Amino acid sequence: MSDSAEVLVIGGGSTGTGIARDLAMRGLDVTLVEKGNLTHGTTGRMHGLLHSGGRYAVSDQASATECIEENRVLRDIAAHCVEMTGGLFVQRPEDDDEYFQEKLEGCRECGIPAEVLSGEEAREMEPYLAKDVKRAIRVPDGAIDPFRLCVANAASAEEHGARIETHAEVIDVLVEDGEVVGLEVKHDSGPGKREHHTPGETEKLYADYVVNASGAWAGQIGDMAGVDVAVRPSKGVMTIMNTRQVDTVVNRCRPKGDADIIVPHETAAILGTTDEEVEDPDEYPEEQWEVDMMIDTLSELVPILQEARTIRSFWGVRPLYEPPGTGTTDPTDITRDFFLLDHEDRDDLPGMTSIVGGKFTTYRMMAEKISDHVCEKFGITAECRTADEPLPGSDDFSILRDYMDEFGLRSPIGRRSVQRLGSRADEVLKTGEPNPVICECEAVTRAEFADAVEGSGSDLNAARIRTRASMGNCQGGFCAHRMANELAPKYEAEVVRTALDELYQERWKGQRHALWGDQLSQAMLNYALHATTMNRDRDPARTGASVDFSAFDGGPTEPGEAGADASAAATDGGSLREDESRQEGR
Amino acid sequence: MPIREDVLVVGGGIAGAASAISAARTGASVRLVTHKKSTLRHASGLIDVLGFLPGSDDPIVYPYSALSDLPDEHPYSVVGENAVREGLDLFDDIAGDAYRGGHTGKNALVATHGGTVKPTARYPKGAAEGLASTNRDTLLVGFRSLPDFDASVACEHLAAAGAPFAVDGVQVDFPGDFRADAKVTRYAKALDRNETVSAFGKERPAREALAEAVRPHLDGAERVGFPALLGDAHADEVRSDLSSELGAAVYEIPMGPPSLPGLRLEDLLFDALDEAGVRISSGNPVVDYTPVEGEHRVKSVTVDRNNQRVPLHADEFVLATGGLVGKGITSDRESVSEPVFDLYVPHPEDRYDWWDQQAFGDHAFAAFGVVPDEELRPTDADGEVEFDNLRAAGGVVGGADFAAEKSGSGVSLATGYLAGRTAGEAI
Amino acid sequence: MSDAESPGDFGTGPTTDYDDDFEPVEVFPEGDLDLRPGADNCYKCTACDTSCPVAEVDDEFPGPKFQGPEQWRLKRKEDVEIDDSIMSCSNCMRCDDACPSSVPLSQMHNEARGEYVENQMDKLSTEYVRNRILANYGTLARVGSKVPRLTNFVMGNSLVQQVNEKLLGITAERDFPEFAQETFREWWRDRGGNKVTSEEKRIAYFHGDYSNYNTPEVAKAMVRVYEAFGYEIAVPEQRCSGTPMFANGMLDDARRGAKVNVRNFAELIEEGYDVIATCTSCSMALRQEYPELFDIDGVEDVSANTYEAMEYLRIHEDLDAAIEDAEVDMGPLAYHAPCHARNQGLDRQAVELFRNLDGVEVEDVGDSCSGISGTYGWKEEKYGKSMEIGEEMFEHMDHAKGEVGMTECPTCSMQMEHGSGYPIKHPMEVLAEAVA
C-alpha cells in the first residue's frame, strides 16, 4: 500500500471533520461526505460546552480525565472558537452535601483544577445566581462554538488536500467481494459548494477505506453495508436565551438530572438539557414540556430566567452506544465513552470502521485514535499533529484587537468580528469597500458575510453558521433579506429568493418553541414586515399567480403627472370613484 | 380636579387617530392618550384595505366588493361595507394631497422593497410614479451601504412577478462621505438640507450629486425608483429636483423599519388631530381602569406616570392600543391577554397551536385580539358586552390576519372611524 | 433597576423562597449596572433611531439602538471597552420616548457614558476638563453670581470667549448666560420665605441652578402662581439636579448632588409636600434618572412625588376655569416643547391650556429637538451639529406669527434666543400674568 491511501469519511460533524483533518495532515487522500451542512447532525445541536471534565468527575473518571486534557489542547489549537468562561458546580440548600464532596474530590483525582467558593463568592462572580445558593466548585469549563470549530477543521483538511463534499448524502455503501470499496452519494446540487437550482447527481466514490463517523446516523450507514451498528440515539432539548444571564458555565451540583446546565454562548445563554432515547434520529417529538422544564428548573439556580426572553429551542440527538449485551435502560446511564468498531474484526467486513459514542470535547482525540487505526491498516507511520498545529484563524490573534480602527468598524462590532474570525480578521475585513452591518444583533458585516458565502455557496444557512448572522434576537426578521441580497450579483434573483425562503423557514422552525411574550411580538413584527411590507408570502413570483397588471389602478392622471396635481380627484373621491360593485371578475 | 373629556381614546396609531378625529367631528371633546411612538413608523406608509382573501393567492382588484367574501368574525364583516368606505373617506379627507388612490375603488399594485408587488388602496404621493400597474420603463436604484434593498435583485424579481415593463437595477454609492452604517434618516436629512457633499471630484449639493451618480445608468428609463429616503420635511422638493435633474419621474419604494413614509404619515395624523381640536397626552402608559360601581361601565382609566397613578375620566372610551407588536395584546407561556381591561382574547389553550409550521402559514397568533359586537364593544367569553362605554379599534381587535390579507390600515380606519363616531354620538 | 441593592447586600441571611428574588439587577457594584436583560425588550424596530436628532446630522453617531440594546447585548463580562461614539449622544432621551417596547435606552446610554468616562477618557485631556466644567455649571455660577456684573462683563468679553474656545473647547459662538443681579434664593430669603401657610397644599420647589442664578423671574412667577392657588412653598437646600453631569458621564458628581437633593426633599415629602420643578430636565432627573442610576434612601419617594410646575396644577387645580375669564397681554408666542418635557408627556400641556386664554396665541414650532441639549451645544466640536439639529425649529420660529418664544427648558431657551434673536418666556410667566 502506498502512503497516499484513499479514505472516505462519512459525517461533517466534529468527529468527521477532525478525522479528515488528521488523515489529510498525515498525507492521506481524504474525501469527506456530509448529507447536510457541516455540523448538520449532532455537532450543530449541542450547548457548546467545552467540558473541564467536572461533569464526569464522579460517574466516569476516565472520560473526565480525557476531557481536561482535550480542554487544554483545544484552548491552544482553536483559540478563536473557545471562550474560557470558567464553570461553576452550584449547590442549592436542598442539594446533597455528600455529592458535593465527591464531586470536589473527583475533580482533584482527575487533575481538574477545582476550587470551592462560598455562596457569596459565587454570587459575586455571577450576580444572577439565586440568593440562597449554598456554595460552588469552580472548574475550567468553557464555551466553544461547534460551527466555527468544524468549519476550521474542514478548512484545514482542505488546505492539506482533502475534498469536503457537503450536501452529499450517502445512498449506498459499495461492497464488492465481501469488502467495502466505496460509497454512492447523491449530491444536492452539483459536486462542490452547494448552489441552488443546480441539478443534483449521484456519484460513486471508490476508496481504500471508509470511516463511518455519522454519529447517531451510524446505524443507517451500517444497514447499507449490511452490518449492525446499534446506536441508541437520545434526544436532548436546549433553549436559547436572548442575552447572557451568566458569563460562567453554571452547572447544578447534583448526581444527575434534566435541566442542570446554563452555558454562556456568544451573545446568548443556552439552557440544557434532557436525555431521552428516541427511535429515529430524524423524527422525534419536540415538546412544550421540555422547554418549560428548562426554564422552570433552571430558574431555581438563576431566577431571572423565569422572566427572560428565549429566542428559540432546539433538540440534539446524542449518538450513544453501548456494546451489545450491556442492557442499560436509562440513557443517562449509558457511557459517554466512544467505541471504534472495526467491521473487519467484528463483522468480517473489511474496508470500514465505524466510530460511535463519545462527546464533542474529546472529538480530536477520537479522531486521532481512529486515524491511528486507519494508518496502521496501511502501514503509514506519520505522527498525529492535530494537538499541536493551530486551526486556521487560531494563531496569535489577540494583538489584532488593537487594529480595529483600521477596519472602520465600531468597537463592539470589530470586537465580535475578531472574536469570530481570529487571526483571519485582517484578510477578511480589509476590503476597501463600504462595509455595512448586515446582521445588527450579532454584529456581522458585509465583508465577513461575503467571506462566508465564498466558503459555502448560495446556502445561506451554511453562511449563517459561519458568521452567526440571523442568530440574534430578531431571528432573521431584519436581516434574512439583507443576507440574501448579499448573494447578488454573484447569484441570480431566483437563487437569492430560494435561499432566502430556506433560511427564513429554518429560522422560523426553532423560533416556534419560544413564541410568547417578547418573542411573539417579534414574530408578529417579522411576519408583518415580510408578509405585509414586502408581500413575500403572496408574491406572484413565488405563488405563480398570474396577475393582470392592467386591471389595477394606474394612478389618478396621465403618466408623468401623477405627482403634479391630483388634488381635485383626491378631494372629491366619492363622485369620481368608479362603481366597482358593478364590475366583474375582480 | 380630575382631567375629564367626553371621549378618551387610548392609542396613537391609525386606529386611535381615526377614532379621535371621528369622535371630535361629532362635537365631543376628545383626549387621545398615547404611550410611545406608534408602530406606524415600522410600516410602509401604504394604506392597504384588502389585498388578498384568506387562503387565496390572487390579488384583489376591487377591495370593497371582496368584503362580502370574508368570514363573519372578520372586523370588516362586523362593521359592514359602509364603515369601511367611510373610514377611507375620513382618511382621504385627512390626507388631502399627500396620498393618492382615492379617485378609484380599485387597488393599485405597488412594488415593495422585497422586489415583489402588492395590492394597496392608498399610496403616498411620493410612491405614485412607481405603480407597477402602469407600464413605463423603470430604473431601480439601490445604495451599496443600504443592504435592505438590492436593486439588481429587485428588478429581476419584478420581472419574475410578471411586471409589464422593462426594469433595470443598479447599485450606486450614495454620494458623499457617509459612514457605511449611516441611518436612512441621515440620508434623508442630507437631501432635505441639500447638504454640500464631496463626490466625483468636486463639492456639490447632495441632490445634484445623487442625480449625477444615477444619470449614467438611465438608459432611457421613464421613471426611477429609490428606496424611501428621499428627504423628510422637504420630500416633495427633493423628488422634484431629482426628477428635473434626471429628466425622468422619480418615486420612492416603501421600506420596512425605519420607514420614512410611515413617519410622514404619523406627522400627518397628528396634525389632523391638532386641527380637530383633540387633546393629546403622550409618554405615559394606560395600565388600568376603574369601573362605575354596579354598572358595566368604565369610569376612568389609569395612567402610570413613573409609578404614580393618574386617573383620566371620560364618558366614552376607545381602546386602540394595537396588537402583539403595539403591545395592546400581550402573552406569556400560558395565555394571551389584553393588559388594560383584561378583556377576553380567545386563543388555543396549547401555545403550540398558536402558530403554523410554515413561516408564512396560517398563524393563529396573527388574528389574536378582542371580540367586538356590532358597535365594536368587546365581549366576554359568553358573547356579552364587557363595558357599555368601551369600544375597540385597530390591531387590538381580533379575527383577521392583516399581514396575509394586506388589510391592516383599512381595518384600523374602518374600526377607528366607527368606534369614534359611535362613541361621540353616545354622549 | 430601581431596586438595586448595594454590593454588600447578598448573603444577609438565607432565603429559601427564590420566587421573591426577581429584581432585574442587583449586587453589581454601584454605577456598574448590568443592563443586558434590558436588551430582551428590543425587537429591533429602529423607532429609537428614527427619533434621534443627532443621528440625523452626525456621521460619527451610530444611533441609540446600537449604543443601547445592541452594544449591551454584544457585551461579555470582560468586555469593558465602550465605543467612543457614546460621547456624541446629547442625552435628549427622545429614544426613550420612542421605544414601543420599553427598552431602557437612556439608562443604557448613561451607564455606558459613565463607564467610558471612568475607564477610557484621559482625565487630563481638554475634553474631560471642559466637560467637567460644563457639567458643574452650578459651581461656576455660585462663584460668578457673587459678582454678577463683573462676571457678566468678563464672560461677555470676546477675548475671553476666544480663549475659552482655544483652551477649553467651549464654543465662542455662544454668549454666556447672564447672571441676575439678585439670585432667586437671595430674593426668597429677603422676602422672608413663604407668605402662605397651609396644611393641605404644600410644595417643595426644586429651582435648579438656572432659575436661581440666571432667570429668577421664572422662579418668582412660579411663587406668584402657587401662592395665588393657596400653596405653602418650601425652598430647601439643593444641588444641581445632575442633568448636565449625566450627559457628560460624570456620574460621581451627579451622585453627590443627588444624595443631598434626595435627603432634603424626601424629608419634606414625609411632611406632606410634593416636589415641583420649573425646569423639565430637573423634574426628569428626579423622576427617572435618579432611581435608574442611584441607590439612595428615599429616591423612590422623590421620584413618585415630583412634578413639573404646570403639570401639578393641572392635576390638582381647575386651571381651565382659573384662566377662563383672564386676559393677558402677550400676543403670539412661538412655543418649543423640550425633549425632556416630551419624555414626561408634558409636550402638549402649555399649548392645550393656553388655547383658552385670551390675549395669547401659542404656536407650536414643531416637534424637532432644539439641538442644544444642555451642555452639548456648548462644545466647540458640537456647536455646528447643534445648530443643524436646531435648524428646523429656527425655520418654524421664523415662520411663526410672534416674535417671542416660550419653552420650559433653560438651555432650549438659550438656543431659541441664539438662533432667532427672540426673547423667551417660560409658561409659568404667562400663567402668572393670567392668575396672579
Side-chain angles (χ1 to χ4, degrees):
Chain A
M1 289 268 171
S2 76
D3 59 349
S4 64
E6 287 179 28
V7 180
L8 280 165
V9 179
I10 311 171
S14 51
T15 315
T17 54
I19 294 166
R21 178 185 192 226
D22 196 335
L23 291 174
M25 284 171 77
R26 298 195 208 195
L28 279 74
D29 187 353
V30 181
T31 298
L32 180 144
V33 293
E34 158 60 51
K35 71 171 169 179
N37 285 324
L38 293 176
T39 76
H40 173 82
T42 306
T43 302
R45 306 182 145 265
M46 57 167 291
H47 42 46
L49 172 67
L50 177 66
H51 280 281
S52 62
R55 216 170 164 73
Y56 307 117
V58 178
S59 58
D60 184 354
Q61 295 205 338
S63 290
T65 312
E66 287 171 2
C67 281
I68 187 67
E69 284 166 10
E70 283 302 299
N71 174 305
R72 292 189 175 116
V73 170
L74 290 180
R75 276 188 248 168
D76 243 19
I77 64 155
H80 69 305
C81 307
V82 171
E83 184 193 354
M84 270 321 286
T85 59
L88 295 175
F89 281 85
V90 179
Q91 183 191 17
R92 286 193 43 81
E94 64 270 28
D95 297 341
D96 186 26
D97 276 336
E98 207 174 308
Y99 183 76
F100 187 88
Q101 208 51 40
E102 279 178 50
K103 178 71 83 184
L104 183 64
E105 281 157 21
C107 284
R108 290 180 176 158
E109 284 158 18
C110 299
I112 301 162
E115 173 193 1
V116 177
L117 303 180
S118 67
E120 285 84 349
E121 287 165 335
R123 278 171 59 77
E124 215 163 326
M125 255 179 89
E126 283 306 331
Y128 292 118
L129 282 177
K131 284 182 177 166
D132 58 343
V133 301
K134 198 168 164 188
R135 51 189 176 158
I137 304 170
R138 184 180 187 168
V139 294
D141 281 343
I144 183 161
D145 188 316
F147 303 118
R148 231 176 288 148
L149 184 80
C150 280
V151 169
N153 267 301
S156 170
E158 277 183 324
E159 280 171 19
H160 289 90
R163 173 182 170 197
I164 307 287
E165 280 292 338
T166 61
H167 303 94
E169 184 178 5
V170 174
I171 51 172
D172 198 12
V173 175
L174 306 175
V175 180
E176 282 172 18
D177 304 329
E179 186 178 352
V180 175
V181 295
L183 301 168
E184 182 169 15
V185 298
K186 191 172 139 220
H187 292 285
D188 178 301
S189 51
K193 289 170 199 165
R194 181 167 179 223
E195 311 259 317
H196 289 86
H197 304 301
T198 309
E201 56 189 72
T202 58
E203 183 182 6
K204 283 186 175 160
L205 298 163
Y206 290 91
D208 301 319
Y209 206 75
V210 172
V211 177
N212 173 17
S214 57
W217 290 263
Q220 297 177 1
I221 300 292
D223 289 346
M224 290 177 200
V227 296
D228 183 32
V229 181
V231 178
R232 292 177 60 179
S234 159
K235 72 166 175 173
V237 66
M238 279 144 281
T239 292
I240 309 186
M241 310 306 293
N242 176 44
T243 54
R244 289 163 60 131
Q245 283 77 21
V246 292
D247 287 295
T248 311
V249 175
V250 171
N251 303 270
R252 181 84 175 257
C253 189
R254 58 182 179 191
K256 65 177 180 185
D258 291 334
D260 64 353
I261 187 165
I262 307 166
V263 182
H265 183 80
E266 304 282 327
T267 50
I270 302 183
L271 316 184
T273 179
T274 46
D275 200 341
E276 206 188 338
E277 202 161 336
V278 296
E279 288 289 313
D280 181 341
D282 290 310
E283 286 281 332
Y284 47 85
E286 299 177 339
E287 287 171 83
Q288 174 176 346
W289 67 265
E290 299 174 277
V291 175
D292 287 341
M293 185 174 70
M294 288 309 112
I295 297 167
D296 293 335
T297 307
L298 282 164
S299 297
E300 294 172 12
L301 281 185
V302 178
I304 55 159
L305 291 174
Q306 193 69 251
E307 302 294 311
R309 171 173 174 179
T310 80
I311 48 180
R312 57 198 282 128
S313 286
F314 62 95
W315 279 255
V317 179
R318 300 177 189 82
L320 297 184
Y321 179 84
E322 58 180 18
T326 318
T328 311
T329 49
D330 183 344
T332 54
D333 292 331
I334 299 178
T335 176
R336 264 49 178 170
D337 210 350
F338 72 90
F339 296 86
L340 192 158
L341 312 177
D342 185 329
H343 296 292
E344 181 172 9
D345 302 345
R346 188 174 173 265
D347 308 298
D348 211 15
L349 179 70
M352 181 163 96
T353 285
S354 295
I355 184 155
V356 286
K359 57 202 159 302
F360 178 78
T361 300
T362 55
Y363 87 93
R364 194 210 57 83
M365 201 180 64
M366 289 156 56
E368 178 176 345
K369 293 201 172 150
I370 200 157
S371 299
D372 286 348
H373 180 78
V374 172
C375 286
E376 200 186 304
K377 293 255 166 204
F378 296 98
I380 295 165
T381 52
E383 293 279 309
C384 172
R385 288 185 288 132
T386 57
D388 305 313
E389 195 114 334
L391 284 160
S394 182
D395 29 30
D396 208 11
F397 71 95
S398 54
I399 46 155
L400 272 170
R401 289 166 188 244
D402 302 337
Y403 300 123
M404 286 327 300
D405 270 357
E406 283 180 29
F407 303 130
L409 299 175
R410 307 282 180 196
S411 55
I413 295 171
R415 188 170 63 219
R416 290 292 297 125
S417 300
V418 170
Q419 280 163 352
R420 285 187 297 257
L421 292 165
S423 48
R424 296 189 58 242
D426 210 46
E427 70 174 88
V428 172
L429 296 177
K430 264 192 183 155
T431 63
E433 293 286 311
N435 191 19
V437 174
I438 302 299
C439 162
E440 289 162 350
C441 303
E442 295 292 326
V444 181
T445 60
R446 167 174 293 161
E448 189 182 345
F449 197 76
D451 173 67
V453 169
E454 192 62 40
S456 57
S458 62
D459 188 337
L460 290 176
N461 277 310
R464 167 180 65 80
I465 66 168
R466 286 161 189 253
T467 58
R468 285 190 65 78
S470 79
M471 288 167 85
N473 40 346
C474 85
Q475 290 287 296
F478 283 73
C479 58
H481 55 291
R482 296 180 190 161
M483 290 163 67
N485 282 343
E486 294 303 308
L487 295 175
K490 191 170 175 187
Y491 298 95
E492 58 189 29
E494 202 189 340
V495 172
V496 172
R497 206 157 54 236
T498 316
L500 170 58
D501 285 349
E502 203 176 87
L503 171 69
Y504 197 73
Q505 177 64 26
E506 192 284 337
R507 294 285 80 196
W508 174 247
K509 186 169 175 269
Q511 207 187 156
R512 295 175 324 194
H513 301 288
L515 288 189
W516 66 85
D518 287 322
Q519 202 60 29
L520 187 56
S521 285
Q522 179 82 63
M524 189 64 216
L525 178 58
N526 291 353
Y527 181 43
L529 172 58
H530 286 262
T532 304
T533 305
M534 292 193 242
N535 189 28
R536 284 186 48 222
D537 62 332
R538 279 165 175 75
D539 171 10
R542 166 211 285 269
T543 62
S546 97
V547 179
D548 177 8
F549 282 72
S550 64
F552 289 82
D553 170 23
T557 49
E558 287 305 299
E561 292 173 1
D565 183 22
S567 53
T571 49
D572 195 16
S575 57
L576 288 179
R577 181 180 280 149
E578 293 168 37
D579 189 1
E580 73 285 350
S581 53
R582 282 191 230 119
Q583 308 272 350
E584 289 183 325
R586 55 163 193 268
Chain B
M1 188 67 206
I3 296 171
R4 162 175 282 288
E5 253 81 28
D6 293 336
V7 177
L8 189 129
V9 177
V10 188
I14 295 185
S19 302
I21 293 168
S22 67
R25 288 185 179 185
T26 66
S29 73
V30 182
R31 177 174 296 277
L32 180 142
V33 189
T34 165
H35 181 200
K36 298 296 180 99
K37 293 297 175 205
S38 83
T39 53
L40 274 166
R41 56 182 66 202
H42 304 172
S44 62
L46 298 172
I47 303 292
D48 300 340
V49 171
L50 187 65
F52 296 88
L53 283 168
S56 160
D57 290 333
D58 296 323
I60 293 168
V61 179
Y62 297 101
Y64 294 124
S65 20
L67 295 175
S68 55
D69 294 337
L70 291 167
D72 290 348
E73 68 276 10
H74 196 288
Y76 281 148
S77 306
V78 174
V79 301
E81 184 182 331
N82 270 344
V84 183
R85 287 178 178 273
E86 282 163 31
L88 263 289
D89 286 346
L90 177 70
F91 178 79
D92 290 339
D93 184 42
I94 292 169
D97 185 40
Y99 271 76
R100 299 281 188 269
H103 63 284
T104 172
K106 290 184 190 181
N107 274 329
L109 286 178
V110 173
T112 75
H113 77 292
T116 178
V117 292
K118 84 159 183 176
T120 191
R122 302 286 184 276
Y123 39 93
K125 183 165 59 175
E129 296 285 0
L131 296 191
S133 20
T134 57
N135 38 3
R136 283 178 293 154
D137 291 353
T138 303
L139 174 69
L140 299 179
V141 178
F143 298 114
R144 289 198 184 93
S145 294
L146 194 74
D148 275 285
F149 179 74
D150 185 294
S152 64
V153 172
C155 82
E156 283 183 61
H157 195 158
L158 269 179
F165 46 85
V167 51
D168 208 351
V170 61
Q171 293 287 101
V172 302
D173 287 322
F174 195 98
D177 294 321
F178 296 95
R179 281 188 67 105
D181 59 3
K183 306 285 164 217
V184 294
T185 46
R186 175 75 192 97
Y187 295 123
K189 190 85 175 180
L191 289 169
D192 249 358
R193 294 159 17 104
N194 210 8
E195 287 174 16
T196 302
V197 298
S198 165
F200 311 109
K202 61 176 181 173
E203 305 276 307
R204 59 173 87 197
R207 297 173 196 171
E208 194 187 306
L210 178 55
E212 178 82 22
V214 172
R215 197 173 293 118
H217 308 282
L218 262 180
D219 195 23
E222 296 163 86
R223 52 182 176 175
V224 183
F226 293 88
L229 50 69
L230 302 182
D232 185 7
H234 305 292
D236 287 353
E237 210 182 291
V238 173
R239 275 197 325 280
S240 132
D241 278 6
L242 285 173
S243 184
S244 14
E245 288 273 351
L246 290 171
V250 166
Y251 67 95
E252 288 188 320
I253 298 153
M255 300 268 286
S259 159
L260 281 157
L263 282 163
R264 296 179 199 131
L265 175 57
E266 192 174 25
D267 286 347
L268 191 147
L269 293 176
F270 275 79
D271 287 349
L273 286 166
D274 262 342
E275 205 174 306
V278 173
R279 296 183 159 202
I280 300 168
S281 302
S282 64
N284 296 303
V286 170
V287 292
D288 205 355
Y289 74 103
T290 309
V292 179
E293 227 167 287
E295 291 179 52
H296 291 290
R297 292 181 70 79
V298 178
K299 185 175 163 201
S300 63
V301 294
T302 314
V303 166
D304 176 77
R305 204 225 63 185
N306 281 65
N307 296 325
Q308 216 188 46
R309 303 193 145 216
V310 182
L312 299 178
H313 295 254
D315 294 321
E316 298 289 326
F317 295 84
V318 178
L319 182 70
T321 42
L324 287 165
V325 180
K327 310 278 171 95
I329 300 291
T330 54
S331 62
D332 56 26
R333 276 193 275 156
E334 273 74 47
S335 63
V336 183
S337 55
E338 185 286 308
V340 180
F341 295 95
D342 197 21
L343 300 168
Y344 168 65
V345 180
H347 60 273
E349 204 175 321
D350 184 342
R351 70 167 190 261
Y352 277 61
D353 294 331
W354 295 355
W355 39 259
D356 188 84
Q357 301 274 348
Q358 294 300 311
F360 292 123
D362 190 6
H363 299 304
F365 70 76
F368 283 167
V370 303
V371 184
D373 79 345
E374 66 283 357
E375 260 191 61
L376 291 169
R377 292 172 302 188
T379 57
D380 63 18
D382 303 320
E384 299 294 321
V385 168
E386 300 237 26
F387 301 99
D388 294 333
N389 63 341
L390 174 69
R391 290 167 179 79
V396 75
V397 177
D401 178 346
F402 76 83
E405 295 168 6
K406 329 298 164 193
S407 65
S409 306
V411 168
S412 289
L413 285 169
T415 54
Y417 158 76
L418 189 67
R421 198 197 73 200
T422 49
E425 285 170 351
I427 300 300
Chain C
M1 315 309 126
S2 48
D3 295 325
E5 291 178 14
S6 63
D9 276 358
F10 56 77
T12 47
T15 20
T16 43
D17 186 5
Y18 62 84
D19 283 322
D20 290 336
D21 302 335
F22 288 153
E23 297 96 338
V25 165
E26 49 192 340
V27 303
F28 267 77
E30 212 174 352
D32 185 18
L33 296 174
D34 181 0
L35 289 171
R36 284 179 296 184
D40 273 2
N41 292 354
C42 177
Y43 55 33
K44 316 298 287 185
C45 74
T46 70
C48 52
D49 285 346
T50 48
S51 62
C52 176
V54 177
E56 264 185 13
V57 298
D58 187 345
D59 294 319
E60 284 312 304
F61 191 62
K65 184 167 66 141
F66 173 82
Q67 281 294 353
E70 278 168 10
Q71 178 152 240
W72 278 98
R73 191 173 171 276
L74 293 172
K75 217 169 141 75
R76 296 177 182 177
K77 198 177 197 174
E78 75 278 10
D79 294 337
V80 287
E81 194 185 316
I82 303 283
D83 194 63
D84 55 12
S85 59
I86 189 65
M87 295 310 283
S88 294
C89 162
S90 75
N91 199 36
C92 72
M93 299 162 94
R94 290 172 85 95
C95 45
D96 276 358
D97 185 41
C99 176
S101 208
S102 302
V103 176
L105 284 140
S106 68
Q107 189 186 8
M108 289 172 158
H109 299 157
N110 273 327
E111 281 295 329
R113 191 161 36 230
E115 280 181 33
Y116 178 83
V117 170
E118 179 74 28
N119 302 324
Q120 284 162 255
M121 207 181 210
D122 176 4
K123 305 297 180 295
L124 298 172
S125 67
T126 310
E127 189 186 3
Y128 180 81
V129 172
R130 186 265 322 267
N131 289 358
R132 194 91 199 263
I133 290 173
L134 286 174
N136 287 280
Y137 172 74
T139 315
L140 175 79
R142 203 152 47 238
V143 180
S145 65
K146 301 258 196 276
V147 278
R149 280 200 188 85
L150 177 64
T151 314
N152 290 342
F153 173 76
V154 172
M155 298 310 279
N157 182 306
S158 68
L159 186 67
V160 173
Q161 290 178 330
Q162 294 304 324
V163 169
N164 275 341
E165 175 158 317
K166 287 268 164 351
L167 285 184
L168 286 173
I170 295 173
T171 179
E173 300 288 335
R174 293 185 191 276
D175 293 325
F176 262 89
E178 288 199 11
F179 291 109
Q181 301 305 316
E182 181 187 43
T183 67
F184 169 67
R185 293 191 74 90
E186 285 163 358
W187 174 82
W188 179 255
R189 188 191 59 214
D190 290 350
R191 94 195 273 253
N194 60 302
K195 297 270 197 242
V196 175
T197 52
S198 166
E199 286 289 311
E200 263 77 64
K201 298 166 90 172
R202 299 170 139 192
I203 56 111
Y205 180 40
F206 190 92
H207 50 65
D209 286 326
Y210 205 77
S211 300
N212 186 36
Y213 297 117
N214 302 90
T215 56
E217 63 274 13
V218 171
K220 291 179 203 166
M222 184 287 302
V223 171
R224 280 162 65 201
V225 170
Y226 270 77
E227 290 191 340
F229 281 104
Y231 282 83
E232 179 174 329
I233 301 171
V235 184
E237 278 298 319
Q238 52 194 277
R239 298 272 182 278
C240 169
S241 67
T243 303
M245 298 157 188
F246 302 139
N248 288 287
M250 312 282 175
L251 295 187
D252 288 338
D253 291 346
R255 188 180 293 110
R256 273 193 292 279
K259 278 185 180 157
V260 174
N261 293 334
V262 169
R263 187 182 62 224
N264 292 349
F265 282 91
E267 250 170 43
L268 287 167
I269 289 167
E270 272 184 31
E271 293 169 31
Y273 287 84
D274 286 318
V275 182
I276 62 136
T278 40
C279 162
T280 41
S281 296
C282 293
S283 63
M284 179 90 200
L286 268 57
R287 258 178 183 176
Q288 182 178 324
E289 284 149 323
Y290 277 20
E292 276 181 358
L293 299 171
F294 305 134
D295 175 28
I296 306 173
D297 264 354
V299 77
E300 292 291 342
D301 282 345
V302 171
S303 165
N305 292 290
T306 297
Y307 300 81
E308 189 276 335
M310 187 188 284
E311 175 193 24
Y312 189 78
L313 291 174
R314 289 187 88 206
I315 296 170
H316 293 91
E317 304 296 332
D318 191 347
L319 272 191
D320 286 320
I323 61 164
E324 203 176 354
D325 301 321
E327 194 177 338
V328 296
D329 182 20
M330 291 278 187
L333 296 176
Y335 172 70
H336 164 75
C339 298
H340 290 176
R342 195 172 293 282
N343 229 337
Q344 297 168 80
L346 306 175
D347 51 322
R348 317 269 312 181
Q349 61 175 13
V351 177
E352 279 180 15
L353 179 69
F354 294 142
R355 218 179 253 168
N356 303 322
L357 176 61
D358 290 334
V360 66
E361 192 186 333
V362 179
E363 196 177 336
D364 196 322
V365 292
D367 58 4
S368 73
C369 172
S370 77
I372 191 165
S373 250
T375 59
Y376 178 83
W378 281 95
K379 299 173 181 172
E380 184 263 322
E381 75 280 12
K382 301 292 186 219
Y383 173 78
K385 303 287 171 213
S386 156
M387 295 304 282
E388 286 174 39
I389 296 170
E391 205 172 273
E392 200 176 321
M393 180 186 77
F394 300 142
E395 246 174 61
H396 283 125
M397 285 182 79
D398 195 38
H399 292 144
K401 238 183 258 170
E403 298 201 339
V404 177
M406 178 170 78
T407 192
E408 287 92 345
C409 167
T411 55
C412 289
S413 126
M414 285 177 207
Q415 176 85 334
M416 292 168 79
E417 193 182 339
H418 182 64
S420 68
Y422 297 174
I424 313 295
K425 296 272 179 203
H426 188 285
M428 270 296 124
E429 295 177 86
V430 180
L431 193 57
E433 285 284 296
V435 301

